[in-house]
Amino acid sequence: MTRPPTPRLHGIAGFSIDRVARAADADPEILRLENLDTDIPPPEAAIESTRAALGEDDANSYLPFLGGDELRAAAAAHVTRLSGVPHDPAAQTIITAGGTEGLFNALLALIEPGDEVVVTDPTYAGMLYRVRLAGGVARFVPFVVQGGRWALDLGRLRDAVTDRTRAVFLMNPSIPSGAVMTRDDWEEVARLCEPRGIWLLYNAAMERILYGGRSYVHPASVPGLEDLTITVGSVSKEYRMIGWRVGWVAGPRRAMNRIGLVSIYNVVTPVGIAQPGALAALTDPAGGGVAEAVREWERRRNVVQAELAGLPFVRADGGWTLLVDTGRLGLDGEAASARLLERGKVAATPMTHWGRENAGQFVRIVFSNEPVERLRGVGERFRRAL
């Protein structure tokens, strides 16, 4: 007799990114705009340190379970510098096998089955379905389009918080929309979280990838959130070190012991040979090339937005991605993605399972992985296909 599927897996779909990528692999003329990659290289110091680690016995070990002391200190210093809130390396910071492991570990440590977690709509599917896997119930708060940009619907945010809300789970800039929250947004989050003791689980993977001179705000710097914010970061995006799979979680002492326990019994240990490279990136006197990379990504975003003029896209204020509302052209995301690949030689991912109100009608454009020379003409490809 066949057993029914696990309830917590019900409705969880696989990424459509892989399917689009496989279809695009064979043709070099296809613009690779489907996956969160970048062709801008990692810091040279990180590459050199990683090569050296291959011959080090300490890097080929399960220990220490929560990450090397030097890397924990560097990650704590990084979060402290950006937030203005001190983080003790030994008691408030752990190293994880990528940021997404840290997100899942934090959810497993902070919520119980049936607890509600507030997320944006749209939301990175890797966040949304980790809520489900941890036994949580997602409560969606939509971004709305104002002046051609995304803005968080603060009224809906207030309505989403209930007596069962355990965490607010936010990424800034947001994937897949490229929305950037303002200080006023964070202050509203603080007004909701502080009196109820609700955790803010902050996905900081792209936090400094901001465009148009926007000011950086770490939510822990906002009064009322300093003792409720759990920061999950990584070297994957800003430092262009996706394959290293190194991240960190930093937060209040009363949460970090539980998160550390989950980390040990989930993945056991972060990647040993990758940790020296991450340390080199975080301690690079030149800043790891982050500022230079952001300028180049902004240049690419500007080209794509100019190319798409007249088409129903929403501007991205940060991150690596923007959304095109193909529903306004009479095509859902799945159909538009197929036509873009077949007729326009553009690989773009449908957002079918990435939200509720802001999902099925969109395709996502990743502008971080193709040079400006290749991105020129993407508008003509879109028009030809759609």
Side-chain angles (χ1 to χ4, degrees), residues 2 8 16-17 21 42 64 68 127 134 164 170 201 208 232 247 258 273 275-276 283 286 301-302 318 328 354 364 376:
T2 303
R8 73 176 61 199
S16 56
I17 299 170
M127 292 169 55
R164 296 175 60 193
L170 299 174
L201 182 52
R208 293 178 293 172
V232 182
R258 284 180 283 164
I273 59 173
Q275 290 185 64
T283 58
R301 180 212 64 158
N302 292 345
R328 290 174 56 189
W354 294 56
R364 184 186 70 175
R376 295 194 193 281

Side-chain angles (χ1 to χ4, degrees), residues 164-248:
R164 296 175 60 193
T165 304
R166 183 63 172 162
V168 175
F169 191 12
L170 299 174
M171 182 178 191
N172 194 56
S174 179
I175 295 175
S177 64
V180 173
M181 293 179 62
T182 66
R183 189 170 188 88
D184 288 345
D185 293 334
W186 289 123
E187 288 173 351
E188 184 62 27
V189 172
R191 282 190 285 270
L192 292 168
C193 290
E194 185 184 25
R196 300 169 176 84
I198 296 170
W199 292 107
L200 170 61
L201 182 52
Y202 168 50
N203 184 345
M206 292 185 160
E207 59 185 339
R208 293 178 293 172
I209 307 177
L210 303 171
Y211 307 136
R214 280 169 178 75
S215 298
Y216 172 80
V217 181
H218 191 292
S221 70
V222 175
L225 290 178
E226 59 270 33
D227 196 42
L228 292 170
T229 301
I230 297 169
T231 301
V232 182
S234 76
V235 295
S236 295
K237 307 299 192 300
E238 294 182 348
Y239 295 99
R240 296 89 60 206
M241 297 171 64
I242 298 165
W244 272 254
R245 310 313 304 136
V246 176
W248 52 83

Side-chain angles (χ1 to χ4, degrees), residues 28-100:
E29 292 185 19
I30 291 176
L31 283 177
R32 303 303 298 270
L33 310 182
E34 82 282 3
N35 193 40
L36 283 175
D37 281 320
T38 185
D39 60 332
I40 300 176
E44 185 58 37
I47 296 172
E48 292 175 0
S49 294
T50 304
R51 287 194 180 112
L54 294 174
E56 296 176 4
D57 189 56
D58 286 349
N60 187 29
S61 173
Y62 287 109
L63 297 172
F65 289 142
L66 297 180
D69 291 343
E70 285 186 281
L71 182 53
R72 291 174 78 181
H78 176 78
V79 177
T80 296
R81 182 173 64 255
L82 293 177
S83 67
V85 177
H87 288 76
D88 175 40
Q92 294 180 264
T93 311
I94 64 173
I95 306 303
T96 57
T100 47

Side-chain angles (χ1 to χ4, degrees), residues 79 112 130 143 173 189 271 299 311 361:
V79 177
E112 297 295 336
R130 280 177 173 83
F143 285 115
V189 172
V271 181
R299 193 163 76 102
L311 292 170
Q361 72 272 38

Side-chain angles (χ1 to χ4, degrees), residues 300-310 313 315 379 383:
R300 297 177 184 189
R301 180 212 64 158
N302 292 345
V303 168
V304 169
Q305 291 187 160
E307 287 279 336
L308 296 179
F313 74 93
R315 300 179 71 86
R383 292 176 182 90

